[in-house]
Amino acid sequence: DSGVTQTPKHLITATGQRVTLRCSPRSGDLSVYWYQQSLDQGLQFLIQYYNGEERAKGNILERFSAQQFPDLHSELNLSSLELGDSALYFCASSFQGATNEKLFFGSGTQLSVL
Amino acid sequence: GENVEQHPSTLSVQEGDSAVIKCTYSDSASNYFPWYKQELGKGPQLIIDIRSNVGEKKDQRIAVTLNKTAKHFSLHITETQPEDSAVYFCAASKYGGSQGNLIFGKGTKLSVKP
């Protein structure tokens, strides 16, 4: 068990809808990351937060947004969903968010857009 | 930006044999190279990492080698066991940047046949 909790584990929704994915980082970790995993694209970095503030942004679509709350949990909001958004979404955490820190990944949320 | 190529995409070995996964990177400034193992239904887990100031690092049955001149690094697993079956990801990044600089390869699915 990595200590990172993601909910829900599975999410099935329709095109055009909006969903929220939730992540609780490992105790003591200040930085949270979101990744998208699809068969053809591998692990794609979406966004990173550190202690409530955005630290880095990757290939995150404008339809997607995220935030990290004062208790350090994070939410990833996906709106106007398209079929191509179907993927496994991972949250990871680390202590300070430095490049050479070990990332602890949650078990992911499998999103299916029908 | 950085680009990481990983080969092979699938690898099947007999229990007890060795397995080698190779990655190349494009940015000569990259200096941190972790390897993550993803078991079915779980998130990736760091298994070993190497920094650019060393050429090889070992941890029991796994080892990683780095050739900075050629810009490639490899994961070696000796005496493979069925529990080594998983998807392995290499990654590359630079010190001083955010984790957003951690670029993953597309993964290698390793199957160890008993």
Side-chain angles (χ1 to χ4, degrees):
Chain A
D1 182 13
S2 67
V4 178
T5 303
Q6 286 188 251
T7 56
K9 290 190 183 300
H10 303 277
L11 201 47
I12 301 174
T13 188
T15 55
Q17 295 298 303
R18 172 190 169 93
V19 297
T20 297
L21 281 54
R22 183 188 168 97
C23 169
S24 294
R26 209 171 57 114
S27 178
D29 284 354
L30 299 175
S31 198
V32 169
Y33 317 76
W34 287 97
Y35 286 85
Q36 180 189 59
Q37 185 177 43
S38 58
L39 286 175
D40 58 342
Q41 292 296 320
L43 272 167
Q44 295 287 311
F45 169 73
L46 296 179
I47 198 165
Q48 176 197 2
Y49 281 83
Y50 174 76
N51 205 21
E53 297 201 359
E54 183 182 306
R55 167 79 60 96
K57 186 177 281 191
N59 299 320
I60 188 167
L61 300 172
E62 287 191 9
R63 300 183 286 108
F64 296 2
S65 65
Q67 55 183 328
Q68 185 180 28
F69 295 87
D71 67 353
L72 301 177
H73 91 271
S74 178
E75 293 180 356
L76 178 66
N77 300 294
L78 314 176
S79 61
S80 302
L81 285 167
E82 302 175 358
L83 295 177
D85 297 326
S86 295
L88 188 53
Y89 291 84
F90 284 109
C91 170
S93 73
S94 72
F95 176 47
Q96 289 185 316
T99 303
N100 59 337
E101 280 186 327
K102 178 178 179 178
L103 291 179
F104 293 87
F105 283 83
S107 296
T109 293
Q110 180 68 57
L111 174 66
S112 299
V113 182
L114 305 179
Chain B
E2 175 65 278
N3 183 50
V4 177
E5 299 282 341
Q6 183 171 348
H7 300 280
S9 56
T10 60
L11 179 60
S12 182
V13 300
Q14 209 65 35
E15 182 178 359
D17 288 349
S18 295
V20 180
I21 302 170
K22 299 180 179 181
C23 290
T24 60
Y25 59 100
S26 61
D27 190 344
S28 57
S30 289
N31 49 23
Y32 175 63
F33 308 93
W35 286 87
Y36 283 80
K37 173 184 180 183
Q38 184 177 14
E39 297 176 339
L40 196 62
K42 297 184 179 180
Q45 179 182 13
L46 180 72
I47 55 172
I48 195 168
D49 58 13
I50 191 168
R51 287 154 173 76
S52 60
N53 57 343
V54 298
E56 184 175 4
K57 183 176 179 180
K58 286 184 179 180
D59 183 3
Q60 299 182 337
R61 294 187 297 107
I62 61 173
V64 58
T65 58
L66 171 65
N67 183 326
K68 288 173 56 181
T69 303
K71 290 190 286 188
H72 68 70
F73 55 112
S74 301
L75 178 71
H76 304 254
I77 306 175
T78 59
E79 300 173 19
T80 54
Q81 300 168 5
E83 51 265 39
D84 294 328
S85 296
V87 179
Y88 292 81
F89 292 94
C90 62
S93 70
K94 292 177 281 196
Y95 285 151
S98 73
Q99 278 285 6
N101 289 328
L102 188 64
I103 304 300
F104 285 89
K106 292 195 175 182
T108 296
K109 183 176 181 180
L110 173 64
S111 299
V112 180
K113 298 180 178 180

Coordinates of all heavy atoms in Angstrom, one line a residue, chain A residues 30-102:
Chain A
L30 N 3.6 16.9 0.7 CA 3.1 18.2 0.4 C 2.7 18.4 -1.1 O 2.0 19.3 -1.4 CB 4.1 19.3 0.8 CG 4.4 19.3 2.3 CD1 5.5 20.4 2.5 CD2 3.2 19.7 3.2
S31 N 3.3 17.5 -1.9 CA 3.1 17.7 -3.3 C 2.2 16.6 -3.9 O 2.4 15.4 -3.5 CB 4.5 17.7 -4.0 OG 4.4 18.3 -5.3
V32 N 1.3 17.0 -4.8 CA 0.4 16.0 -5.5 C 0.6 16.2 -7.0 O 0.7 17.3 -7.5 CB -1.0 16.3 -5.0 CG1 -2.0 15.5 -5.9 CG2 -1.2 15.9 -3.6
Y33 N 0.5 15.1 -7.7 CA 0.6 15.1 -9.1 C -0.5 14.3 -9.7 O -1.0 13.3 -9.1 CB 1.9 14.4 -9.6 CG 3.1 14.7 -8.8 CD1 3.4 14.2 -7.5 CD2 4.1 15.6 -9.3 CE1 4.5 14.5 -6.8 CE2 5.2 15.9 -8.6 CZ 5.4 15.4 -7.3 OH 6.5 15.8 -6.6
W34 N -0.9 14.7 -10.9 CA -1.9 13.9 -11.6 C -1.3 13.4 -13.0 O -0.7 14.2 -13.7 CB -3.2 14.7 -11.9 CG -4.0 15.0 -10.7 CD1 -4.0 16.1 -9.9 CD2 -5.0 14.1 -10.1 NE1 -4.9 15.9 -8.8 CE2 -5.5 14.7 -9.0 CE3 -5.5 12.8 -10.5 CZ2 -6.5 14.1 -8.2 CZ3 -6.5 12.2 -9.7 CH2 -7.0 12.9 -8.6
Y35 N -1.6 12.1 -13.2 CA -1.1 11.5 -14.5 C -2.3 10.9 -15.2 O -3.2 10.3 -14.5 CB 0.0 10.5 -14.3 CG 1.3 11.0 -13.9 CD1 1.6 11.3 -12.6 CD2 2.3 11.2 -14.9 CE1 2.9 11.8 -12.2 CE2 3.5 11.7 -14.5 CZ 3.8 12.0 -13.2 OH 5.1 12.5 -12.9
Q36 N -2.2 10.9 -16.5 CA -3.2 10.1 -17.3 C -2.5 9.0 -18.0 O -1.4 9.2 -18.6 CB -3.8 11.1 -18.4 CG -4.9 10.4 -19.3 CD -5.2 11.3 -20.4 OE1 -4.4 11.7 -21.2 NE2 -6.5 11.6 -20.5
Q37 N -3.1 7.8 -17.9 CA -2.4 6.6 -18.5 C -3.4 6.0 -19.5 O -4.5 5.6 -19.2 CB -2.0 5.6 -17.5 CG -1.3 4.4 -18.1 CD -0.8 3.4 -17.1 OE1 -1.6 3.0 -16.2 NE2 0.4 2.9 -17.2
S38 N -3.0 6.0 -20.8 CA -3.7 5.4 -21.8 C -2.8 4.4 -22.6 O -1.6 4.5 -22.4 CB -4.3 6.4 -22.8 OG -3.2 7.1 -23.4
L39 N -3.4 3.5 -23.3 CA -2.6 2.4 -23.9 C -1.6 2.9 -24.9 O -0.4 2.5 -25.0 CB -3.5 1.4 -24.6 CG -4.3 0.5 -23.7 CD1 -5.2 -0.4 -24.5 CD2 -3.3 -0.4 -22.9
D40 N -2.0 4.0 -25.7 CA -1.1 4.4 -26.7 C -0.2 5.6 -26.3 O 0.9 5.8 -26.9 CB -1.9 4.9 -27.9 CG -2.9 6.0 -27.6 OD1 -3.2 6.1 -26.4 OD2 -3.4 6.7 -28.5
Q41 N -0.5 6.2 -25.2 CA 0.3 7.4 -24.8 C 1.1 7.1 -23.5 O 1.9 8.0 -23.1 CB -0.6 8.6 -24.5 CG -1.2 9.1 -25.8 CD -0.2 9.7 -26.8 OE1 0.8 10.3 -26.4 NE2 -0.3 9.4 -28.0
G42 N 0.9 6.0 -22.9 CA 1.7 5.8 -21.7 C 1.3 6.7 -20.5 O 0.1 7.1 -20.4
L43 N 2.2 7.0 -19.7 CA 2.0 7.9 -18.5 C 2.2 9.3 -18.9 O 3.4 9.7 -19.1 CB 2.9 7.5 -17.3 CG 2.4 6.4 -16.4 CD1 3.5 6.0 -15.5 CD2 1.2 6.9 -15.5
Q44 N 1.2 10.1 -18.9 CA 1.3 11.5 -19.3 C 1.1 12.4 -18.1 O 0.0 12.3 -17.4 CB 0.3 11.9 -20.4 CG 0.5 11.1 -21.7 CD 1.7 11.7 -22.5 OE1 1.8 12.9 -22.7 NE2 2.5 10.8 -22.9
F45 N 2.0 13.3 -17.8 CA 1.9 14.2 -16.7 C 0.9 15.3 -17.0 O 0.9 15.9 -18.1 CB 3.3 14.8 -16.4 CG 3.3 16.0 -15.5 CD1 3.1 15.8 -14.1 CD2 3.5 17.3 -15.9 CE1 3.0 16.8 -13.2 CE2 3.4 18.3 -15.1 CZ 3.2 18.1 -13.7
L46 N 0.0 15.5 -16.1 CA -1.0 16.5 -16.3 C -0.7 17.8 -15.5 O -0.6 18.9 -16.0 CB -2.4 16.0 -15.8 CG -3.0 14.8 -16.6 CD1 -4.3 14.4 -16.1 CD2 -3.1 15.2 -18.1
I47 N -0.5 17.7 -14.2 CA -0.4 18.8 -13.3 C 0.2 18.5 -12.0 O 0.0 17.3 -11.5 CB -1.7 19.6 -13.2 CG1 -1.5 21.0 -12.7 CG2 -2.7 18.8 -12.3 CD1 -2.7 21.9 -12.9
Q48 N 0.9 19.4 -11.3 CA 1.5 19.2 -10.0 C 1.1 20.4 -9.1 O 1.1 21.5 -9.5 CB 3.0 19.1 -10.1 CG 3.7 19.0 -8.7 CD 5.2 19.3 -8.8 OE1 5.7 19.7 -9.8 NE2 5.8 19.2 -7.6
Y49 N 0.8 20.0 -7.9 CA 0.6 21.0 -6.8 C 1.5 20.8 -5.7 O 1.9 19.7 -5.4 CB -0.9 20.9 -6.3 CG -1.9 21.6 -7.2 CD1 -2.4 20.9 -8.3 CD2 -2.3 22.9 -7.1 CE1 -3.3 21.5 -9.2 CE2 -3.1 23.5 -7.9 CZ -3.6 22.8 -9.0 OH -4.5 23.4 -9.9
Y50 N 1.9 21.9 -5.1 CA 2.7 21.9 -3.9 C 2.1 22.8 -2.8 O 2.0 24.0 -3.0 CB 4.2 22.3 -4.2 CG 5.0 22.4 -2.9 CD1 5.5 21.2 -2.3 CD2 5.3 23.6 -2.4 CE1 6.3 21.3 -1.2 CE2 6.1 23.7 -1.2 CZ 6.6 22.5 -0.6 OH 7.3 22.6 0.5
N51 N 1.7 22.2 -1.7 CA 1.2 22.9 -0.6 C 0.1 23.9 -1.0 O 0.0 25.0 -0.5 CB 2.3 23.7 0.1 CG 2.0 23.9 1.6 OD1 1.1 23.3 2.2 ND2 2.7 24.9 2.2
G52 N -0.8 23.4 -1.9 CA -1.9 24.2 -2.3 C -1.7 25.1 -3.5 O -2.7 25.6 -4.0
E53 N -0.5 25.2 -4.0 CA -0.3 26.0 -5.2 C 0.2 25.2 -6.4 O 0.9 24.2 -6.2 CB 0.7 27.1 -4.9 CG 0.3 28.0 -3.8 CD 1.0 29.3 -3.8 OE1 1.9 29.5 -4.6 OE2 0.7 30.2 -3.0
E54 N -0.2 25.6 -7.6 CA 0.2 24.9 -8.8 C 1.7 25.1 -8.9 O 2.2 26.2 -8.9 CB -0.6 25.5 -10.0 CG -0.3 24.8 -11.3 CD -1.0 25.4 -12.4 OE1 -2.2 25.6 -12.4 OE2 -0.3 25.8 -13.4
R55 N 2.4 24.0 -9.2 CA 3.9 24.0 -9.3 C 4.3 23.8 -10.8 O 5.2 24.4 -11.3 CB 4.5 23.0 -8.4 CG 5.9 22.6 -8.7 CD 6.9 23.6 -8.1 NE 6.9 23.8 -6.6 CZ 7.7 23.1 -5.8 NH1 8.5 22.2 -6.2 NH2 7.7 23.4 -4.5
A56 N 3.6 22.9 -11.5 CA 3.9 22.6 -12.9 C 2.7 22.1 -13.6 O 1.8 21.5 -13.0 CB 5.1 21.6 -12.9
K57 N 2.7 22.4 -14.9 CA 1.6 22.0 -15.7 C 2.1 21.3 -16.9 O 3.1 21.7 -17.6 CB 0.8 23.2 -16.1 CG -0.5 22.9 -16.9 CD -1.3 24.2 -17.2 CE -2.1 24.7 -16.0 NZ -3.0 25.8 -16.3
G58 N 1.5 20.1 -17.2 CA 1.9 19.4 -18.4 C 0.9 19.4 -19.5 O 0.3 20.5 -19.8
N59 N 0.6 18.3 -20.1 CA -0.3 18.3 -21.2 C -1.8 18.2 -20.7 O -2.5 17.3 -21.1 CB -0.1 17.1 -22.1 CG 1.3 17.1 -22.7 OD1 1.8 18.2 -23.1 ND2 2.0 16.0 -22.7
I60 N -2.2 19.1 -19.9 CA -3.5 19.1 -19.4 C -4.4 20.0 -20.3 O -4.1 21.1 -20.6 CB -3.6 19.6 -17.9 CG1 -5.0 19.4 -17.3 CG2 -3.1 21.0 -17.8 CD1 -5.0 19.6 -15.8
L61 N -5.6 19.4 -20.7 CA -6.5 20.1 -21.5 C -7.2 21.2 -20.8 O -7.3 21.2 -19.5 CB -7.6 19.1 -22.1 CG -7.0 17.9 -22.9 CD1 -8.2 17.0 -23.2 CD2 -6.4 18.4 -24.2
E62 N -7.7 22.2 -21.5 CA -8.4 23.3 -20.9 C -9.7 22.9 -20.2 O -10.2 23.5 -19.3 CB -8.7 24.4 -21.9 CG -7.4 25.2 -22.3 CD -7.8 26.4 -23.1 OE1 -9.0 26.8 -23.2 OE2 -6.9 27.1 -23.6
R63 N -10.2 21.8 -20.7 CA -11.5 21.2 -20.1 C -11.2 20.6 -18.7 O -12.1 20.2 -18.0 CB -12.1 20.1 -21.0 CG -12.4 20.7 -22.4 CD -13.1 19.6 -23.2 NE -12.2 18.6 -23.7 CZ -12.1 17.3 -23.3 NH1 -12.9 16.9 -22.3 NH2 -11.2 16.5 -23.8
F64 N -9.9 20.4 -18.4 CA -9.6 19.8 -17.1 C -9.0 20.8 -16.2 O -8.3 21.8 -16.6 CB -8.5 18.7 -17.3 CG -8.9 17.5 -18.2 CD1 -10.1 17.4 -18.8 CD2 -7.9 16.5 -18.4 CE1 -10.5 16.3 -19.5 CE2 -8.3 15.4 -19.2 CZ -9.5 15.3 -19.8
S65 N -9.3 20.7 -14.9 CA -8.8 21.6 -13.9 C -8.5 20.8 -12.6 O -9.1 19.7 -12.4 CB -9.7 22.7 -13.7 OG -10.9 22.3 -13.1
A66 N -7.7 21.3 -11.8 CA -7.4 20.7 -10.5 C -7.1 21.7 -9.5 O -7.0 22.9 -9.7 CB -6.1 19.8 -10.7
Q67 N -7.2 21.2 -8.2 CA -6.8 22.1 -7.1 C -6.4 21.2 -6.0 O -6.7 20.0 -5.9 CB -8.0 23.0 -6.7 CG -9.3 22.3 -6.4 CD -10.4 23.3 -6.1 OE1 -10.1 24.3 -5.5 NE2 -11.6 22.9 -6.4
Q68 N -5.6 21.8 -5.1 CA -5.2 21.2 -3.9 C -5.7 22.0 -2.7 O -5.4 23.2 -2.6 CB -3.6 21.0 -3.8 CG -3.2 20.2 -2.6 CD -1.7 20.1 -2.5 OE1 -0.9 20.9 -3.0 NE2 -1.2 19.0 -1.9
F69 N -6.4 21.4 -1.8 CA -7.0 22.0 -0.7 C -6.1 22.2 0.5 O -5.0 21.6 0.6 CB -8.3 21.3 -0.3 CG -9.3 21.2 -1.4 CD1 -9.3 20.3 -2.4 CD2 -10.3 22.2 -1.5 CE1 -10.2 20.3 -3.5 CE2 -11.2 22.2 -2.5 CZ -11.2 21.2 -3.5
P70 N -6.5 23.0 1.5 CA -5.6 23.2 2.7 C -5.3 21.9 3.4 O -4.2 21.8 4.0 CB -6.5 24.1 3.6 CG -7.3 24.9 2.6 CD -7.6 24.0 1.5
D71 N -6.2 20.9 3.4 CA -5.8 19.6 4.0 C -4.9 18.8 3.1 O -4.6 17.6 3.5 CB -7.1 18.9 4.5 CG -7.9 18.4 3.3 OD1 -7.6 18.8 2.1 OD2 -8.8 17.7 3.5
L72 N -4.5 19.3 2.0 CA -3.6 18.7 1.0 C -4.2 17.7 0.1 O -3.5 17.2 -0.8 CB -2.4 18.1 1.7 CG -1.5 19.1 2.5 CD1 -0.4 18.4 3.2 CD2 -1.0 20.3 1.6
H73 N -5.5 17.4 0.3 CA -6.1 16.5 -0.7 C -6.3 17.3 -2.0 O -6.3 18.5 -2.0 CB -7.4 15.8 -0.2 CG -8.6 16.6 -0.5 ND1 -9.1 17.6 0.3 CD2 -9.5 16.5 -1.5 CE1 -10.3 18.0 -0.2 NE2 -10.5 17.4 -1.3
S74 N -6.4 16.5 -3.1 CA -6.5 17.2 -4.4 C -7.7 16.6 -5.2 O -8.1 15.5 -4.9 CB -5.3 17.0 -5.2 OG -5.3 17.5 -6.5
E75 N -8.3 17.4 -6.0 CA -9.3 17.0 -6.9 C -9.0 17.3 -8.3 O -8.4 18.4 -8.6 CB -10.7 17.6 -6.5 CG -11.2 17.1 -5.2 CD -12.5 17.7 -4.8 OE1 -13.0 18.6 -5.5 OE2 -13.0 17.3 -3.7
L76 N -9.3 16.4 -9.2 CA -9.1 16.7 -10.7 C -10.5 16.7 -11.3 O -11.3 15.7 -11.2 CB -8.3 15.6 -11.3 CG -8.0 15.6 -12.8 CD1 -7.2 16.9 -13.2 CD2 -7.4 14.4 -13.3
N77 N -10.9 17.8 -11.9 CA -12.2 18.0 -12.5 C -12.0 17.9 -14.0 O -11.2 18.6 -14.7 CB -12.7 19.3 -12.2 CG -12.9 19.5 -10.7 OD1 -13.7 18.8 -10.0 ND2 -12.1 20.4 -10.1
L78 N -12.9 17.0 -14.6 CA -12.9 16.8 -16.0 C -14.2 17.1 -16.6 O -15.2 16.6 -16.1 CB -12.6 15.3 -16.4 CG -11.4 14.7 -15.6 CD1 -11.3 13.2 -16.0 CD2 -10.1 15.4 -15.9
S79 N -14.3 18.1 -17.5 CA -15.6 18.5 -18.0 C -15.7 18.3 -19.5 O -14.8 18.1 -20.2 CB -15.8 20.0 -17.6 OG -14.9 20.8 -18.2
S80 N -17.0 18.4 -20.0 CA -17.3 18.3 -21.4 C -16.6 17.0 -21.9 O -15.9 17.1 -22.9 CB -16.8 19.5 -22.2 OG -17.5 20.7 -21.7
L81 N -16.8 15.9 -21.2 CA -16.0 14.7 -21.5 C -16.3 14.2 -22.9 O -17.4 14.2 -23.4 CB -16.4 13.6 -20.5 CG -15.8 13.9 -19.1 CD1 -16.4 12.9 -18.1 CD2 -14.3 13.6 -19.1
E82 N -15.2 13.7 -23.4 CA -15.2 13.1 -24.8 C -14.8 11.6 -24.7 O -14.2 11.2 -23.7 CB -14.2 13.8 -25.7 CG -14.5 15.3 -25.8 CD -13.5 16.1 -26.6 OE1 -12.5 15.4 -27.1 OE2 -13.7 17.3 -26.8
L83 N -15.1 10.8 -25.7 CA -14.7 9.4 -25.7 C -13.2 9.2 -25.4 O -12.8 8.3 -24.7 CB -15.1 8.8 -27.0 CG -16.6 8.7 -27.3 CD1 -16.8 8.1 -28.7 CD2 -17.4 7.9 -26.3
G84 N -12.4 10.1 -26.0 CA -11.0 10.0 -25.9 C -10.4 10.3 -24.5 O -9.2 10.1 -24.3
D85 N -11.3 10.8 -23.6 CA -10.8 11.0 -22.2 C -10.8 9.7 -21.4 O -10.3 9.7 -20.3 CB -11.7 12.1 -21.6 CG -11.7 13.4 -22.2 OD1 -10.6 13.8 -22.8 OD2 -12.7 14.1 -22.3
S86 N -11.4 8.7 -22.0 CA -11.4 7.4 -21.3 C -9.9 7.0 -21.0 O -9.1 6.9 -22.0 CB -12.1 6.3 -22.1 OG -13.5 6.7 -22.2
A87 N -9.6 6.7 -19.8 CA -8.2 6.4 -19.4 C -8.2 6.1 -17.9 O -9.2 6.2 -17.2 CB -7.3 7.6 -19.7
L88 N -7.0 5.7 -17.5 CA -6.7 5.5 -16.1 C -6.0 6.7 -15.6 O -5.0 7.2 -16.1 CB -5.8 4.2 -15.9 CG -5.5 3.7 -14.6 CD1 -6.8 3.4 -13.8 CD2 -4.7 2.4 -14.7
Y89 N -6.6 7.3 -14.6 CA -6.0 8.6 -14.0 C -5.3 8.3 -12.7 O -6.0 7.7 -11.7 CB -7.1 9.6 -13.9 CG -7.6 10.2 -15.2 CD1 -8.6 9.5 -15.9 CD2 -7.0 11.3 -15.8 CE1 -9.0 9.9 -17.1 CE2 -7.5 11.7 -17.0 CZ -8.4 11.0 -17.7 OH -8.9 11.5 -18.9
F90 N -4.1 8.6 -12.6 CA -3.3 8.3 -11.4 C -3.0 9.6 -10.6 O -2.7 10.7 -11.2 CB -2.0 7.7 -11.7 CG -2.1 6.2 -12.0 CD1 -1.9 5.7 -13.3 CD2 -2.4 5.3 -11.0 CE1 -2.0 4.4 -13.5 CE2 -2.5 3.9 -11.3 CZ -2.3 3.5 -12.5
C91 N -3.1 9.5 -9.3 CA -2.6 10.6 -8.5 C -1.3 10.0 -7.8 O -1.2 8.8 -7.5 CB -3.6 10.9 -7.4 SG -3.0 12.0 -6.1
A92 N -0.3 10.9 -7.6 CA 0.9 10.5 -6.9 C 1.2 11.6 -6.0 O 0.8 12.8 -6.1 CB 2.0 10.3 -7.9
S93 N 2.1 11.3 -5.0 CA 2.5 12.3 -4.0 C 4.0 12.2 -3.7 O 4.5 11.1 -3.9 CB 1.6 12.3 -2.7 OG 2.0 11.2 -1.9
S94 N 4.6 13.2 -3.2 CA 5.9 13.2 -2.7 C 6.1 14.3 -1.7 O 5.2 15.1 -1.6 CB 7.0 13.4 -3.9 OG 7.0 14.7 -4.3
F95 N 7.2 14.2 -0.9 CA 7.3 15.1 0.2 C 7.4 16.6 -0.2 O 6.6 17.4 0.2 CB 8.5 14.7 1.0 CG 8.8 15.6 2.2 CD1 7.8 16.0 3.0 CD2 10.1 16.1 2.4 CE1 8.1 16.9 4.1 CE2 10.4 17.0 3.5 CZ 9.4 17.3 4.3
Q96 N 8.4 16.9 -1.0 CA 8.6 18.3 -1.4 C 8.3 18.6 -2.8 O 8.3 19.8 -3.2 CB 10.0 18.7 -1.0 CG 10.3 18.8 0.5 CD 11.7 19.3 0.8 OE1 12.6 18.9 0.2 NE2 11.8 20.2 1.8
G97 N 8.2 17.6 -3.7 CA 8.0 17.9 -5.1 C 9.2 18.1 -5.9 O 9.2 18.7 -7.0
A98 N 10.4 17.7 -5.3 CA 11.6 17.9 -6.1 C 11.7 16.8 -7.1 O 11.2 15.7 -7.0 CB 12.8 17.8 -5.1
T99 N 12.6 17.1 -8.1 CA 12.7 16.2 -9.3 C 13.1 14.8 -8.9 O 12.6 13.8 -9.5 CB 13.6 16.8 -10.3 OG1 13.2 18.1 -10.6 CG2 13.7 16.0 -11.5
N100 N 14.1 14.7 -8.0 CA 14.6 13.4 -7.7 C 14.0 12.7 -6.5 O 14.5 11.8 -5.9 CB 16.1 13.5 -7.5 CG 16.4 14.4 -6.3 OD1 15.6 15.3 -6.0 ND2 17.6 14.3 -5.7
E101 N 12.8 13.1 -6.2 CA 12.0 12.4 -5.1 C 11.3 11.2 -5.6 O 10.8 11.3 -6.7 CB 11.1 13.4 -4.4 CG 11.7 14.4 -3.5 CD 10.6 15.2 -2.8 OE1 9.6 15.5 -3.4 OE2 10.8 15.5 -1.6
K102 N 11.1 10.2 -4.8 CA 10.3 9.1 -5.1 C 8.9 9.5 -5.2 O 8.4 10.2 -4.3 CB 10.6 8.0 -4.1 CG 9.7 6.7 -4.2 CD 10.1 5.7 -3.2 CE 9.3 4.5 -3.3 NZ 9.7 3.5 -2.2

